[in-house]
Amino acid sequence: MTTPLSYVQTGTGSAWDTYLSQVDRVVPYLGPLAQWQESLRRPKRVLAVDVPIEMDDGSVRHFEGFRVHHNLSRGPGKGGLRIHHDVTLEEIMGLAAWMTIKTAAVNLPFGGAKGGIRADPRQLSIKELERITRRYTSEIAPLIGPAQDIPAPDVNTNSQVMAWMMDTYSMNVGATVTGVVTGKPVHLGGSLGRTRATGRGVFVTGCEAARRIGLQLSGARVAIQGVGNVGFAAAELFAGAGAKIVALQDDVDTVYNPAGMAMTELGHAGVHGRIGTVKSAAPIGREDFWDVDCDILIPAALEGQIDAARAQRLKAKLVLEGANGPTLPAADDVLAERGIVVVPDVICNAGGVIVSYFEWVQDFSSFFWSESEINQRLDNIILSAFLAICATAGRLGVSLRTAAFVVACERVLAARADRGLYP
Ligand code: NAD
């Protein structure tokens, strides 16, 4: 019998609500391990911090920050830091929980964690962003470390933010500790291939999913929401394989060209996360993005984007979840009824955490691998994990999402059961 947590709001459609519904769907397949299900429904620990900083005009502003450890049964916490004006505790808890599932689905020796700062980075100067990052890092310092919890980039954070986090942590402990974060600049212990790793994983799992439904990539029409780290790298790889990028949406613009856009037109979209000027494409209404004629849809922005109504309208045959939690549970049901295949976030976008794992291992050994070695290892791990999930889905007659949760929850709960309760 689940006792609701008193410190979170449920029933608001948050990422945490979505995650709990996904857990409900997997429980019938967990056999005796289901007795440990409660540990999936509660984060191990939650830290909320005050982040006061001096603004450039001399005033002081306070920001809210969070770091959540969802489950550490299988290893140290792993999960990104998000800076966004809509960050809530419920969102960060959901994202941390998906990291537990994701790291287990691809069998990395990590647990799930996530952090967030409620702020709009577009309203901050670079110096203010640095001060927020450093103060937040100091506040969460008791929870992080190479053996405890290793943050990484997420929405609106990048290798520069990771460099500030690494430096702040290192200054506090009096030694350079590169392995406290991943997604760092390559010259500071970062890994080759990390920047594009998440998009690469979307591409690798997407190619296999397309093959399984008999969809040719060459000439396939692709629509992508989000042109940041994940969406832009995925766009480049799909375009490189002969697919046509017919529609793009960022937080401001939506553009459409049925003949496909050339990647050269997108300039530095991946760095700035904005589409910018695409002469060959026409602007369309934000809501029209969901009606675009396409074969593959890649949501690569925020969670909760595909609700049941939008799921009814999608033209795509395949949805590749570059973002975390873009599809609501009711939409999952509509897509399943309509025969639209969804490659779920916990496997589709796992390329980032896989190469973060490689970065962490390289930092420990101070021995660095070539980019081709990294890409090859990434492709092997993500593809074999995806094939195992497809096999589980076939065996149980469930969606790829439920199958990924079965594979992952079995690993997490087996670790929980073997470790037993302390004290
Ligand atoms: P990013 O900050 O680099 O880019 C985010 C993109 O989403 C930008 O193009 C932004 O304009 C767009 N966006 C924001 N709000 C939007 C809205 N309301 N409508 C449409 N577009 C909007 O972030 P990212 O790192 O590419 O992360 C994108 C998603 O992928 C997130 O869900 C994140 O959790 C997930 N993810 C990221 C990584 C990673 O390695 N960075 C790994 C796994 C999953």
Side-chain angles (χ1 to χ4, degrees), residues 22-100:
Q22 293 165 347
V23 170
D24 288 342
R25 288 173 183 213
V26 78
V27 166
Y29 302 99
L30 295 179
L33 287 172
Q35 67 182 296
W36 292 99
Q37 62 174 289
E38 192 67 12
S39 61
L40 297 170
R41 298 180 195 276
R42 304 173 165 261
K44 178 178 175 63
R45 56 173 77 95
V46 164
L47 177 66
V49 294
D50 177 33
V51 185
I53 63 150
E54 185 175 323
M55 307 298 283
D56 290 346
D57 66 4
S59 64
V60 174
R61 270 187 71 188
H62 292 250
F63 296 88
E64 268 174 49
F66 304 102
R67 188 75 195 170
V68 174
H69 289 175
H70 174 259
N71 189 297
L72 306 186
S73 297
R74 303 179 65 257
K78 192 84 195 77
L81 166 65
R82 171 173 297 194
I83 305 182
H84 193 271
H85 54 275
D86 285 335
V87 159
T88 61
L89 175 59
E90 289 78 5
E91 179 187 49
I92 301 304
M93 282 171 55
L95 291 165
W98 284 322
M99 289 307 295
T100 299

Side-chain angles (χ1 to χ4, degrees), residues 143-218:
L143 292 200
I144 61 173
Q148 289 106 317
D149 172 12
I150 307 107
D154 190 73
V155 172
N156 292 330
T157 55
N158 56 19
S159 59
Q160 174 61 78
V161 173
M162 293 306 114
W164 291 327
M165 290 187 85
M166 188 275 269
D167 182 69
T168 305
Y169 181 86
S170 298
M171 288 298 153
N172 282 335
V173 298
T176 297
V177 186
T178 54
V180 65
V181 291
T182 57
K184 300 176 291 293
V186 171
H187 56 272
L188 283 178
S191 178
L192 293 167
R194 173 62 185 88
T195 311
R196 290 157 58 94
T198 308
R200 187 177 177 93
V202 172
F203 178 69
V204 171
T205 54
C207 287
E208 175 60 19
R211 191 190 66 75
R212 285 171 170 258
I213 62 169
L215 175 65
Q216 286 273 346
L217 270 200
S218 175

Side-chain angles (χ1 to χ4, degrees), residues 82 154 156 194 198 227-230 250-251 273 286 300-301 322-324:
R82 171 173 297 194
D154 190 73
N156 292 330
R194 173 62 185 88
T198 308
V227 292
N229 178 283
V230 180
D250 65 16
D251 58 329
R286 284 197 79 70
N324 285 309

Side-chain angles (χ1 to χ4, degrees), residues 209-269:
R211 191 190 66 75
R212 285 171 170 258
I213 62 169
L215 175 65
Q216 286 273 346
L217 270 200
S218 175
R221 297 157 306 163
V222 181
I224 306 181
Q225 187 195 40
V227 292
N229 178 283
V230 180
F232 187 74
E236 281 188 320
L237 288 161
F238 278 97
K244 291 193 283 188
I245 309 301
V246 295
L248 292 172
Q249 181 172 78
D250 65 16
D251 58 329
V252 177
D253 295 308
T254 310
V255 295
Y256 177 57
N257 175 356
M261 296 166 234
M263 288 311 294
T264 46
E265 282 196 282
L266 290 172
H268 293 294

